[in-house]
Amino acid sequence: MIKARIIVTLKTGVLDPQGKAIESALSNLGIEGVGQVRQGKVFDVTLEGDDAASAKTRLDAMCEQLLANTVIENYAVEIDHG
């Protein structure tokens, strides 16, 4: 089994209204010193098999086809080799 984490974030320059709302909420809670908040998504995935290269190819396909909107989002795949 291969475990992986996929992190999806908005590309630089894409407006992030949810991040702005979080910034405002933190300020309203009295939490100071927060410069900027950008929201994203995290997916933890377990794949059958032991071939990391094949897993990376499948994970990239998942991102390109479903998990990330590559027009406005970047993604990173982290494979747990431990």
Coordinates of all heavy atoms in Angstrom, one line a residue:
M1 N 0.8 -1.2 0.0 CA 0.0 0.0 0.0 C 0.9 1.2 0.0 O 1.9 1.3 0.6 CB -0.9 0.0 1.2 CG -1.9 -1.1 1.3 SD -3.1 -1.1 0.0 CE -4.5 -0.5 0.9
I2 N 0.4 2.2 -0.7 CA 1.1 3.5 -0.7 C 0.2 4.6 -0.2 O -1.0 4.7 -0.6 CB 1.6 3.9 -2.2 CG1 2.7 2.9 -2.6 CG2 2.0 5.3 -2.3 CD1 3.1 3.1 -4.0
K3 N 0.7 5.4 0.7 CA 0.0 6.5 1.3 C 0.5 7.8 0.7 O 1.7 8.0 0.5 CB 0.1 6.5 2.8 CG -0.6 5.3 3.5 CD -0.5 5.5 5.0 CE -1.1 4.2 5.6 NZ -1.1 4.3 7.1
A4 N -0.5 8.7 0.4 CA -0.1 9.9 -0.2 C -1.0 11.0 0.3 O -2.1 10.8 0.8 CB -0.2 9.9 -1.7
R5 N -0.4 12.2 0.3 CA -1.2 13.4 0.6 C -1.1 14.4 -0.6 O -0.1 14.6 -1.2 CB -0.6 14.1 1.8 CG -1.3 15.4 2.2 CD -1.0 15.9 3.6 NE -1.8 15.1 4.5 CZ -1.7 15.1 5.8 NH1 -0.8 15.9 6.4 NH2 -2.5 14.4 6.5
I6 N -2.3 14.9 -1.0 CA -2.4 15.8 -2.0 C -2.9 17.1 -1.4 O -3.9 17.2 -0.7 CB -3.5 15.4 -3.1 CG1 -3.0 14.0 -3.7 CG2 -3.7 16.4 -4.2 CD1 -4.1 13.3 -4.5
I7 N -2.1 18.2 -1.7 CA -2.4 19.5 -1.2 C -2.8 20.4 -2.4 O -2.0 20.5 -3.4 CB -1.2 20.1 -0.5 CG1 -0.9 19.2 0.7 CG2 -1.6 21.5 0.0 CD1 0.4 19.5 1.4
V8 N -4.0 21.0 -2.4 CA -4.5 21.8 -3.5 C -4.6 23.2 -2.9 O -5.3 23.5 -1.9 CB -5.9 21.3 -4.0 CG1 -6.4 22.2 -5.1 CG2 -5.8 19.9 -4.4
T9 N -4.0 24.2 -3.6 CA -4.1 25.6 -3.2 C -4.4 26.5 -4.4 O -4.2 26.1 -5.5 CB -2.7 26.1 -2.6 OG1 -1.7 25.8 -3.6 CG2 -2.4 25.3 -1.3
L10 N -5.0 27.6 -4.1 CA -5.3 28.6 -5.2 C -3.9 29.2 -5.7 O -3.0 29.4 -5.0 CB -6.1 29.7 -4.6 CG -7.6 29.4 -4.3 CD1 -8.2 30.5 -3.6 CD2 -8.3 29.0 -5.6
K11 N -3.9 29.4 -7.0 CA -2.7 30.0 -7.6 C -2.6 31.4 -7.1 O -3.5 32.1 -6.8 CB -2.9 30.0 -9.1 CG -2.8 28.6 -9.7 CD -2.8 28.6 -11.2 CE -2.6 27.2 -11.8 NZ -2.6 27.2 -13.3
T12 N -1.3 31.9 -7.1 CA -1.0 33.3 -6.8 C -1.8 34.2 -7.7 O -1.9 34.0 -8.9 CB 0.5 33.5 -6.9 OG1 1.2 32.6 -6.1 CG2 0.8 35.0 -6.5
G13 N -2.4 35.2 -7.2 CA -3.2 36.1 -8.0 C -4.7 35.8 -8.0 O -5.5 36.7 -8.5
V14 N -5.1 34.6 -7.7 CA -6.5 34.3 -7.7 C -7.1 34.8 -6.4 O -6.6 34.5 -5.3 CB -6.7 32.7 -7.8 CG1 -8.2 32.4 -7.7 CG2 -6.1 32.2 -9.1
L15 N -8.2 35.5 -6.5 CA -8.9 36.0 -5.3 C -9.3 34.9 -4.4 O -9.8 33.8 -4.9 CB -10.0 36.9 -5.7 CG -9.7 38.2 -6.4 CD1 -11.0 38.9 -6.8 CD2 -8.8 39.0 -5.6
D16 N -9.2 35.0 -3.1 CA -9.6 34.0 -2.1 C -10.6 34.6 -1.1 O -10.2 35.0 0.0 CB -8.3 33.5 -1.4 CG -8.6 32.3 -0.5 OD1 -9.7 31.9 -0.3 OD2 -7.6 31.8 0.1
P17 N -11.9 34.7 -1.4 CA -12.8 35.2 -0.5 C -12.9 34.5 0.8 O -13.2 35.1 1.9 CB -14.1 35.3 -1.3 CG -13.9 34.4 -2.4 CD -12.5 34.3 -2.7
Q18 N -12.8 33.2 0.8 CA -12.9 32.4 2.0 C -11.7 32.7 2.9 O -11.8 32.8 4.1 CB -12.9 30.9 1.7 CG -13.1 30.0 3.0 CD -13.3 28.6 2.6 OE1 -13.3 28.2 1.5 NE2 -13.5 27.8 3.7
G19 N -10.5 32.9 2.3 CA -9.3 33.3 3.1 C -9.5 34.6 3.8 O -9.2 34.8 4.9
K20 N -10.1 35.6 3.0 CA -10.4 36.9 3.5 C -11.4 36.8 4.7 O -11.2 37.5 5.7 CB -10.9 37.8 2.5 CG -9.9 38.2 1.4 CD -8.9 39.1 2.1 CE -7.9 39.6 1.0 NZ -6.7 40.2 1.6
A21 N -12.4 36.0 4.6 CA -13.4 35.8 5.6 C -12.7 35.2 6.9 O -13.0 35.6 8.0 CB -14.5 34.9 5.2
I22 N -11.8 34.3 6.7 CA -11.1 33.7 7.9 C -10.2 34.8 8.5 O -10.1 34.9 9.7 CB -10.2 32.5 7.4 CG1 -11.1 31.4 7.0 CG2 -9.3 32.1 8.5 CD1 -10.4 30.2 6.2
E23 N -9.5 35.6 7.7 CA -8.7 36.7 8.3 C -9.6 37.6 9.1 O -9.2 38.0 10.2 CB -8.1 37.5 7.1 CG -7.0 36.9 6.4 CD -6.5 37.8 5.2 OE1 -6.7 39.1 5.3 OE2 -6.0 37.2 4.3
S24 N -10.8 38.0 8.6 CA -11.7 38.8 9.4 C -12.1 38.2 10.6 O -12.2 38.8 11.7 CB -12.9 39.2 8.5 OG -13.8 40.0 9.2
A25 N -12.5 36.9 10.6 CA -12.9 36.2 11.8 C -11.9 36.1 12.8 O -12.1 36.3 14.0 CB -13.4 34.8 11.4
L26 N -10.6 35.9 12.4 CA -9.5 35.8 13.4 C -9.3 37.2 14.0 O -9.1 37.2 15.3 CB -8.2 35.4 12.6 CG -8.2 34.0 12.2 CD1 -6.9 33.8 11.3 CD2 -8.2 33.0 13.3
S27 N -9.4 38.2 13.3 CA -9.3 39.6 13.8 C -10.5 39.8 14.8 O -10.2 40.4 15.9 CB -9.4 40.6 12.7 OG -9.3 41.9 13.3
N28 N -11.7 39.4 14.5 CA -12.8 39.6 15.4 C -12.7 38.8 16.7 O -13.2 39.2 17.7 CB -14.1 39.2 14.7 CG -14.5 40.2 13.6 OD1 -14.0 41.3 13.5 ND2 -15.3 39.7 12.6
L29 N -11.9 37.7 16.6 CA -11.7 36.9 17.8 C -10.5 37.5 18.6 O -10.2 36.9 19.7 CB -11.3 35.4 17.4 CG -12.5 34.6 16.8 CD1 -12.0 33.3 16.2 CD2 -13.5 34.4 17.9
G30 N -9.9 38.5 18.2 CA -8.8 39.2 18.9 C -7.5 38.5 18.6 O -6.5 38.8 19.3
I31 N -7.4 37.7 17.6 CA -6.1 37.1 17.2 C -5.4 38.1 16.3 O -5.9 38.3 15.2 CB -6.3 35.7 16.6 CG1 -7.0 34.8 17.6 CG2 -5.0 35.1 16.1 CD1 -7.5 33.5 17.0
E32 N -4.3 38.6 16.8 CA -3.6 39.7 16.0 C -2.3 39.1 15.3 O -1.9 38.0 15.7 CB -3.2 40.8 17.0 CG -4.4 41.5 17.6 CD -4.0 42.6 18.6 OE1 -2.8 42.9 18.6 OE2 -4.9 43.0 19.3
G33 N -1.8 39.9 14.4 CA -0.6 39.6 13.7 C -0.7 38.6 12.6 O 0.3 38.1 12.1
V34 N -1.9 38.3 12.1 CA -2.1 37.4 11.0 C -2.1 38.3 9.7 O -2.9 39.2 9.5 CB -3.4 36.7 11.0 CG1 -3.6 35.8 9.8 CG2 -3.5 35.8 12.3
G35 N -1.1 38.1 8.9 CA -0.9 38.9 7.7 C -1.9 38.5 6.5 O -2.5 39.3 6.0
Q36 N -1.9 37.2 6.2 CA -2.8 36.8 5.1 C -3.1 35.3 5.4 O -2.3 34.5 5.8 CB -2.0 36.9 3.8 CG -2.9 36.5 2.6 CD -2.1 36.6 1.3 OE1 -0.9 36.4 1.2 NE2 -2.8 36.9 0.2
V37 N -4.3 34.9 5.0 CA -4.8 33.5 5.0 C -5.2 33.1 3.6 O -6.0 33.9 3.0 CB -6.0 33.4 6.0 CG1 -6.5 31.9 6.0 CG2 -5.5 33.7 7.4
R38 N -4.7 32.0 3.2 CA -5.2 31.4 1.9 C -5.7 30.0 2.2 O -5.0 29.2 2.9 CB -4.0 31.3 0.9 CG -3.3 32.6 0.6 CD -3.9 33.4 -0.5 NE -3.9 32.8 -1.8 CZ -4.5 33.2 -2.8 NH1 -5.3 34.3 -2.7 NH2 -4.4 32.6 -4.0
Q39 N -6.9 29.7 1.8 CA -7.5 28.4 2.1 C -7.1 27.4 1.0 O -6.8 27.8 -0.1 CB -9.0 28.5 2.2 CG -9.8 29.0 1.0 CD -10.2 27.8 0.1 OE1 -10.4 26.7 0.6 NE2 -10.3 28.1 -1.2
G40 N -7.2 26.2 1.3 CA -6.9 25.1 0.4 C -7.6 23.8 0.8 O -8.5 23.8 1.7
K41 N -7.2 22.7 0.1 CA -7.8 21.4 0.4 C -6.7 20.4 0.6 O -5.6 20.5 -0.1 CB -8.7 21.0 -0.7 CG -9.8 21.9 -1.1 CD -10.6 21.4 -2.3 CE -10.0 21.9 -3.5 NZ -10.8 21.8 -4.8
V42 N -6.9 19.4 1.4 CA -6.0 18.3 1.6 C -6.7 17.0 1.5 O -7.8 16.8 2.0 CB -5.3 18.4 3.0 CG1 -4.4 17.2 3.3 CG2 -4.5 19.7 3.2
F43 N -6.1 16.1 0.7 CA -6.7 14.8 0.5 C -5.6 13.8 0.9 O -4.5 13.8 0.4 CB -7.0 14.6 -1.0 CG -8.0 15.5 -1.6 CD1 -7.5 16.7 -2.2 CD2 -9.3 15.3 -1.5 CE1 -8.4 17.6 -2.7 CE2 -10.3 16.2 -2.0 CZ -9.8 17.4 -2.6
D44 N -6.0 12.8 1.8 CA -5.1 11.7 2.1 C -5.6 10.5 1.4 O -6.8 10.2 1.5 CB -5.1 11.5 3.6 CG -4.4 12.6 4.4 OD1 -3.4 13.1 3.9 OD2 -4.9 12.9 5.5
V45 N -4.8 9.9 0.6 CA -5.2 8.8 -0.3 C -4.3 7.6 0.0 O -3.1 7.7 0.1 CB -5.0 9.2 -1.8 CG1 -5.4 8.1 -2.7 CG2 -5.8 10.5 -2.1
T46 N -4.9 6.4 0.0 CA -4.2 5.2 0.1 C -4.4 4.4 -1.2 O -5.5 4.2 -1.6 CB -4.6 4.3 1.3 OG1 -4.5 5.1 2.5 CG2 -3.8 3.0 1.4
L47 N -3.3 4.0 -1.9 CA -3.4 3.2 -3.1 C -2.9 1.8 -2.9 O -1.9 1.6 -2.2 CB -2.6 3.9 -4.2 CG -3.0 5.3 -4.6 CD1 -2.0 5.9 -5.6 CD2 -4.4 5.3 -5.2
E48 N -3.4 0.9 -3.6 CA -2.9 -0.5 -3.6 C -1.6 -0.5 -4.5 O -1.5 0.2 -5.4 CB -4.0 -1.4 -4.2 CG -5.2 -1.5 -3.4 CD -6.2 -2.5 -4.0 OE1 -6.0 -3.1 -5.0 OE2 -7.3 -2.6 -3.3
G49 N -0.7 -1.4 -4.1 CA 0.5 -1.6 -4.8 C 1.7 -0.9 -4.1 O 1.5 -0.3 -3.1
D50 N 2.9 -1.1 -4.6 CA 4.1 -0.7 -4.0 C 5.0 0.2 -4.9 O 6.1 0.6 -4.5 CB 4.9 -1.8 -3.5 CG 4.2 -2.6 -2.4 OD1 3.6 -1.9 -1.5 OD2 4.3 -3.8 -2.3
D51 N 4.5 0.4 -6.1 CA 5.3 1.1 -7.1 C 5.0 2.6 -7.0 O 4.0 3.1 -7.4 CB 5.0 0.6 -8.5 CG 5.8 1.3 -9.6 OD1 6.6 2.2 -9.3 OD2 5.5 1.0 -10.8
A52 N 6.0 3.4 -6.5 CA 5.8 4.8 -6.2 C 5.7 5.6 -7.5 O 4.9 6.5 -7.6 CB 7.0 5.4 -5.4
A53 N 6.4 5.2 -8.6 CA 6.3 5.9 -9.8 C 4.9 5.8 -10.4 O 4.3 6.7 -10.9 CB 7.3 5.4 -10.8
S54 N 4.3 4.6 -10.4 CA 3.0 4.3 -10.9 C 2.0 5.1 -10.0 O 1.0 5.6 -10.5 CB 2.7 2.8 -10.8 OG 1.3 2.6 -11.1
A55 N 2.2 5.1 -8.7 CA 1.3 5.8 -7.8 C 1.3 7.3 -8.1 O 0.2 7.9 -8.2 CB 1.7 5.5 -6.4
K56 N 2.5 7.8 -8.4 CA 2.5 9.3 -8.7 C 1.8 9.6 -10.0 O 1.0 10.6 -10.0 CB 4.0 9.7 -8.9 CG 4.2 11.1 -9.3 CD 4.0 12.1 -8.2 CE 4.5 13.5 -8.5 NZ 3.7 14.3 -9.3
T57 N 1.9 8.7 -11.0 CA 1.1 8.9 -12.2 C -0.4 8.9 -12.0 O -1.1 9.7 -12.5 CB 1.5 7.8 -13.2 OG1 2.9 7.9 -13.5 CG2 0.7 7.9 -14.5
R58 N -0.8 7.9 -11.2 CA -2.3 7.8 -10.8 C -2.7 9.0 -10.0 O -3.8 9.5 -10.3 CB -2.6 6.5 -10.1 CG -2.4 5.3 -11.0 CD -2.9 4.0 -10.4 NE -2.0 3.6 -9.3 CZ -2.2 2.8 -8.4 NH1 -3.4 2.2 -8.3 NH2 -1.3 2.4 -7.5
L59 N -1.9 9.4 -9.1 CA -2.3 10.6 -8.2 C -2.4 11.9 -9.1 O -3.3 12.7 -8.9 CB -1.3 10.7 -7.1 CG -1.4 9.6 -6.0 CD1 -0.1 9.6 -5.2 CD2 -2.6 9.8 -5.2
D60 N -1.4 12.1 -10.0 CA -1.5 13.2 -10.9 C -2.7 13.2 -11.7 O -3.4 14.2 -11.9 CB -0.2 13.3 -11.8 CG 1.0 13.8 -11.1 OD1 0.9 14.5 -10.1 OD2 2.1 13.4 -11.5
A61 N -3.1 12.0 -12.2 CA -4.3 11.9 -13.0 C -5.6 12.3 -12.2 O -6.5 13.0 -12.7 CB -4.5 10.5 -13.6
M62 N -5.6 11.8 -10.9 CA -6.7 12.2 -10.0 C -6.8 13.7 -9.9 O -7.9 14.3 -9.9 CB -6.5 11.6 -8.6 CG -6.6 10.1 -8.5 SD -6.3 9.7 -6.8 CE -5.8 7.9 -7.1
C63 N -5.7 14.4 -9.7 CA -5.7 15.8 -9.5 C -6.1 16.5 -10.8 O -7.0 17.4 -10.8 CB -4.3 16.3 -9.1 SG -3.8 15.7 -7.5
E64 N -5.6 16.1 -11.9 CA -5.8 16.8 -13.2 C -7.3 16.6 -13.6 O -7.9 17.5 -14.2 CB -4.9 16.2 -14.3 CG -3.5 16.5 -14.1 CD -3.1 17.9 -14.4 OE1 -3.8 18.6 -15.2 OE2 -2.0 18.4 -13.9
Q65 N -7.9 15.4 -13.3 CA -9.2 15.1 -13.7 C -10.3 15.5 -12.7 O -11.5 15.6 -13.1 CB -9.3 13.6 -14.1 CG -8.5 13.2 -15.2 CD -8.5 11.7 -15.5 OE1 -9.4 11.1 -15.2 NE2 -7.4 11.2 -16.0
L66 N -10.0 15.5 -11.4 CA -11.1 15.7 -10.4 C -10.7 16.6 -9.3 O -11.5 17.5 -8.9 CB -11.5 14.3 -9.9 CG -12.6 14.4 -8.8 CD1 -13.9 14.9 -9.4 CD2 -12.8 13.0 -8.2
L67 N -9.6 16.4 -8.6 CA -9.4 17.0 -7.3 C -9.0 18.5 -7.4 O -9.2 19.2 -6.4 CB -8.3 16.2 -6.6 CG -8.7 14.7 -6.3 CD1 -7.5 14.1 -5.5 CD2 -10.0 14.6 -5.5
A68 N -8.4 18.9 -8.5 CA -7.9 20.3 -8.6 C -8.5 20.9 -9.9 O -8.5 20.2 -10.9 CB -6.4 20.4 -8.6
N69 N -8.9 22.1 -9.8 CA -9.2 22.9 -11.0 C -7.9 23.6 -11.4 O -7.6 24.7 -10.9 CB -10.3 23.9 -10.7 CG -10.7 24.8 -11.9 OD1 -10.0 24.8 -12.9 ND2 -11.7 25.6 -11.7
T70 N -7.2 23.0 -12.4 CA -5.9 23.5 -12.7 C -5.8 24.8 -13.4 O -4.8 25.4 -13.6 CB -5.1 22.4 -13.6 OG1 -5.9 22.2 -14.7 CG2 -4.9 21.1 -12.8
V71 N -7.0 25.4 -13.7 CA -7.0 26.8 -14.2 C -6.7 27.7 -13.1 O -6.0 28.7 -13.3 CB -8.4 27.1 -14.9 CG1 -8.5 28.5 -15.3 CG2 -8.7 26.2 -16.1
I72 N -7.2 27.5 -11.9 CA -7.1 28.4 -10.8 C -6.4 27.8 -9.6 O -6.1 28.5 -8.6 CB -8.4 29.0 -10.3 CG1 -9.4 27.9 -9.8 CG2 -9.1 29.8 -11.4 CD1 -10.6 28.4 -9.1
E73 N -6.0 26.5 -9.6 CA -5.4 25.9 -8.5 C -4.1 25.1 -8.9 O -4.0 24.6 -10.0 CB -6.4 24.8 -7.9 CG -7.6 25.5 -7.2 CD -8.6 24.4 -6.7 OE1 -8.9 23.4 -7.4 OE2 -9.2 24.6 -5.7
N74 N -3.2 25.1 -7.9 CA -2.0 24.3 -8.0 C -2.2 23.1 -7.1 O -3.0 23.1 -6.1 CB -0.8 25.0 -7.5 CG -0.4 26.2 -8.4 OD1 -0.4 26.1 -9.6 ND2 -0.1 27.3 -7.8
Y75 N -1.5 22.0 -7.4 CA -1.5 20.9 -6.5 C -0.1 20.3 -6.3 O 0.7 20.5 -7.1 CB -2.5 19.8 -6.9 CG -2.1 19.1 -8.2 CD1 -1.2 17.9 -8.1 CD2 -2.5 19.5 -9.5 CE1 -0.8 17.3 -9.3 CE2 -2.1 18.9 -10.6 CZ -1.3 17.8 -10.5 OH -0.9 17.1 -11.7
A76 N 0.1 19.7 -5.1 CA 1.3 19.0 -4.8 C 1.0 17.6 -4.3 O 0.1 17.5 -3.5 CB 2.1 19.8 -3.8
V77 N 1.8 16.6 -4.7 CA 1.6 15.3 -4.3 C 2.8 14.9 -3.4 O 3.9 15.0 -3.8 CB 1.5 14.3 -5.5 CG1 1.4 12.9 -5.0 CG2 0.3 14.7 -6.4
E78 N 2.5 14.4 -2.2 CA 3.5 13.9 -1.3 C 3.3 12.4 -1.1 O 2.2 12.1 -0.6 CB 3.5 14.7 0.0 CG 3.6 16.2 -0.1 CD 3.4 16.9 1.2 OE1 2.9 16.2 2.2 OE2 3.5 18.1 1.3
I79 N 4.2 11.6 -1.4 CA 4.1 10.2 -1.2 C 4.9 9.8 0.0 O 6.1 10.2 0.2 CB 4.6 9.4 -2.5 CG1 3.7 9.7 -3.6 CG2 4.6 7.9 -2.2 CD1 4.1 9.0 -4.9
D80 N 4.3 9.0 0.9 CA 4.9 8.6 2.2 C 5.8 7.4 1.8 O 5.2 6.3 1.6 CB 3.9 8.3 3.2 CG 4.5 7.9 4.5 OD1 5.7 7.8 4.7 OD2 3.7 7.5 5.4
H81 N 7.1 7.6 1.9 CA 8.0 6.5 1.6 C 8.3 5.6 2.8 O 9.1 4.7 2.8 CB 9.3 7.0 0.9 CG 9.0 7.6 -0.4 ND1 8.8 6.8 -1.6 CD2 8.9 8.9 -0.8 CE1 8.6 7.7 -2.6 NE2 8.7 8.9 -2.2
G82 N 7.8 6.0 4.0 CA 8.1 5.3 5.2 C 7.2 4.2 5.4 O 7.3 3.2 6.0

